Amino acid sequence: MSSIFKEKSKDPGSYARTGTLHLNGIQIETPIFMPVGTRGSIKSLSSSDIDELGYNLILANTYHLYLRPGKEVLDHFHGLKNFMSYKRALLTDSGGFQVFSLASLFKFEEDGVRFQSHIDGSHHKFTPSSVIDMQRSIGSDIMMVLDDCAPYGSDLGRLELALDRTHRWAKESYNYWMENPGGQNVFPIVQGGVNESLRKRSLDTLQNINFPGIAIGGLSVGEPRPEYIRILECMAPFFDAARPRYLMGVGTVVDILEGVKNGIDMFDCVLPTRNARNGQVFTSLGKINLRNESHRLSDGPIDPECGCKVCVTYSLGYIRHLHKVKELTAFSLSTYHNLFFMQSFMEKMRKSIEIGNFQGFYDHWKNLFGS
């Protein structure tokens, strides 16, 4: 199988690296942050906004798209990209995280999971092959296998069970995908909770299958940050250099810094867009709560060092006003700014690795955003 990833530069003091991801003619520079378009839309932004921001890879959610608009609609429109008028690369998760987050609606079976829709209570089933079929209908460039993400705090028996399911389903998914790759890629998902031995076993098992990339699941799901860092550090020396590594559902500045330091190439999270809608933006000076009274008369931009169209055009005082009166424009302007910030942050990080200054970059931003 031809590689979809090429490593470009490495930081001598850590596992941080830059690279290029090649997806059906689209080049993506890594490390990369992917905005989340759960239902085929990044909340409050249009596809032209995403294009303008320069995001070459975004994420959508298989579970939600399966329920609405459904496979028939996506087949009719020849995939999600045509449906939403987005022409760049797309990654989809498998619905495995919804099994975790909506646990009361799901029931594990030997060959998959049965679940009730959170919308209308209707009954459905996901199997390793059916989620591949759904992602074929979506037309994603990177698909995820169905997995079992054990909750934080699970005992060894539950973690072992999750590993057995995850590995078995990954092998089934790989074999089914290889019958008709169709220009799409599939990543397996490393599990094992905060147990170092299980994490190494999972990584070894899945890297021994010829998947084009590897994903790490089950982190940033409630564990303390020292546990998160410990698990990343235990895996970092064993990552295959030839494959991209995707850390699922991670998107705070500090967590991304720790991920990149330990060799991660790809991140996604709803946090920058969700926080923006709730009035929190990220800046070169740290986080800002737009609703604070202290911003009422501010005639400067959200961030004096930001070149996005929001900061160039609007005052902080005006955007605060929009949030206070709940104008819908507040959501789109704040979201646009936060995604511009994330794009710029990742670009600066790549540059710091290339010029050998990642440690300085890490220290600066960790001090600014560390909690």
Side-chain angles (χ1 to χ4, degrees):
M1 183 184 299
S2 60
S3 176
I4 62 169
F5 180 80
K6 183 175 182 181
E7 186 176 273
K8 290 170 62 180
S9 61
K10 294 175 72 173
D11 172 54
S14 72
Y15 291 97
R17 66 177 187 170
T18 65
T20 306
L21 193 57
H22 298 270
L23 298 173
N24 294 313
I26 298 164
Q27 283 197 180
I28 297 112
E29 300 303 310
T30 65
I32 185 177
F33 174 80
M34 298 175 283
V36 178
T38 302
R39 299 175 178 88
S41 168
I42 293 168
K43 283 184 170 57
S44 82
L45 297 186
S46 67
S47 294
S48 58
D49 288 329
I50 300 307
D51 202 51
E52 189 175 275
L53 282 161
Y55 279 96
N56 284 336
L57 179 59
I58 65 172
L59 182 140
N61 184 282
T62 297
Y63 167 82
H64 288 286
L65 292 171
Y66 166 81
L67 293 176
R68 292 186 300 197
K71 193 172 187 298
E72 182 185 4
V73 170
L74 291 165
D75 285 339
H76 173 79
F77 282 92
H78 304 290
L80 181 62
K81 292 187 197 180
N82 284 335
F83 193 41
M84 65 181 287
S85 298
Y86 168 78
K87 305 304 180 192
R88 302 190 190 189
L90 180 67
L91 180 150
T92 43
D93 61 10
S94 66
F97 185 76
Q98 278 65 48
V99 177
F100 165 84
S101 62
L102 302 171
S104 63
L105 300 175
F106 284 79
K107 181 185 177 185
F108 282 104
E109 297 184 346
E110 182 70 14
D111 62 339
V113 288
R114 289 198 180 275
F115 62 95
Q116 279 185 273
S117 163
H118 72 285
I119 300 165
D120 60 10
S122 56
H123 291 264
H124 306 269
K125 184 169 183 175
F126 276 171
T127 66
S129 57
S130 77
V131 298
I132 295 290
D133 283 338
M134 183 62 204
Q135 291 175 93
R136 283 173 172 158
S137 293
I138 294 169
S140 41
D141 299 277
I142 298 176
M143 308 184 281
M144 290 293 135
V145 302
L146 187 64
D147 67 324
D148 178 3
C149 176
Y152 174 67
S154 294
D155 61 24
L156 185 60
R158 177 67 179 90
L159 291 173
E160 291 269 15
L161 180 62
L163 234 57
D164 176 67
R165 273 198 194 109
T166 294
H167 296 167
R168 183 160 43 83
W169 289 351
K171 290 167 187 169
E172 289 178 29
S173 300
Y174 178 83
N175 292 334
Y176 186 69
W177 165 63
M178 283 298 290
E179 292 174 11
N180 178 25
Q184 294 175 285
N185 300 281
V186 178
F187 288 13
I189 303 171
V190 175
Q191 292 291 352
V194 292
N195 183 301
E196 292 185 24
S197 174
L198 295 186
R199 282 287 177 177
K200 290 175 185 175
R201 187 205 306 172
S202 187
L203 182 63
D204 182 60
T205 300
L206 296 173
Q207 287 190 154
N208 277 325
I209 307 172
N210 197 24
F211 285 103
I214 195 92
I216 297 93
L219 286 178
S220 198
V221 293
E223 77 281 356
R225 182 165 282 136
E227 297 278 86
Y228 165 84
I229 294 170
R230 178 174 60 81
I231 293 303
L232 285 176
E233 288 176 345
C234 89
M235 290 188 289
F238 303 102
F239 285 132
D240 174 15
R243 286 184 265 199
R245 308 123 183 194
Y246 163 36
L247 182 54
M248 305 179 75
V250 168
T252 71
V253 166
V254 173
D255 285 348
I256 289 174
L257 288 169
E258 298 295 351
V260 170
K261 184 178 181 180
N262 287 287
I264 301 298
D265 304 302
M266 303 163 64
F267 302 85
D268 81 280
C269 192
V270 297
L271 186 131
T273 48
R274 178 183 288 163
N275 283 24
R277 298 194 304 276
N278 290 321
Q280 186 188 76
V281 288
F282 308 145
T283 78
S284 60
L285 304 173
K287 291 177 274 195
I288 290 179
N289 184 342
L290 294 172
R291 294 173 180 152
N292 283 355
E293 178 71 15
S294 59
H295 304 315
R296 188 168 65 91
L297 300 178
S298 176
D299 54 7
I302 291 173
D303 182 354
E305 293 187 22
C306 178
C308 81
K309 67 181 182 183
V310 178
C311 288
V312 167
T313 309
Y314 301 104
S315 69
L316 176 52
Y318 175 65
I319 295 173
R320 175 191 177 272
H321 160 72
L322 295 179
H323 275 280
K324 292 296 285 186
V325 298
K326 298 181 170 57
E327 279 289 341
L328 297 180
T329 316
F331 297 162
S332 57
L333 295 181
S334 303
T335 300
Y336 190 99
H337 167 82
N338 269 4
L339 289 185
F340 186 96
F341 171 89
M342 294 301 295
Q343 186 79 310
S344 175
F345 171 69
M346 300 307 290
E347 186 178 342
K348 290 171 185 171
M349 185 185 295
R350 293 192 293 269
K351 186 69 174 175
S352 77
I353 297 168
E354 288 167 3
I355 65 174
N357 187 39
F358 175 72
Q359 187 62 50
F361 181 91
Y362 172 95
D363 292 341
H364 170 78
W365 287 99
K366 188 166 184 182
N367 180 60
L368 201 59
F369 278 81
S371 50

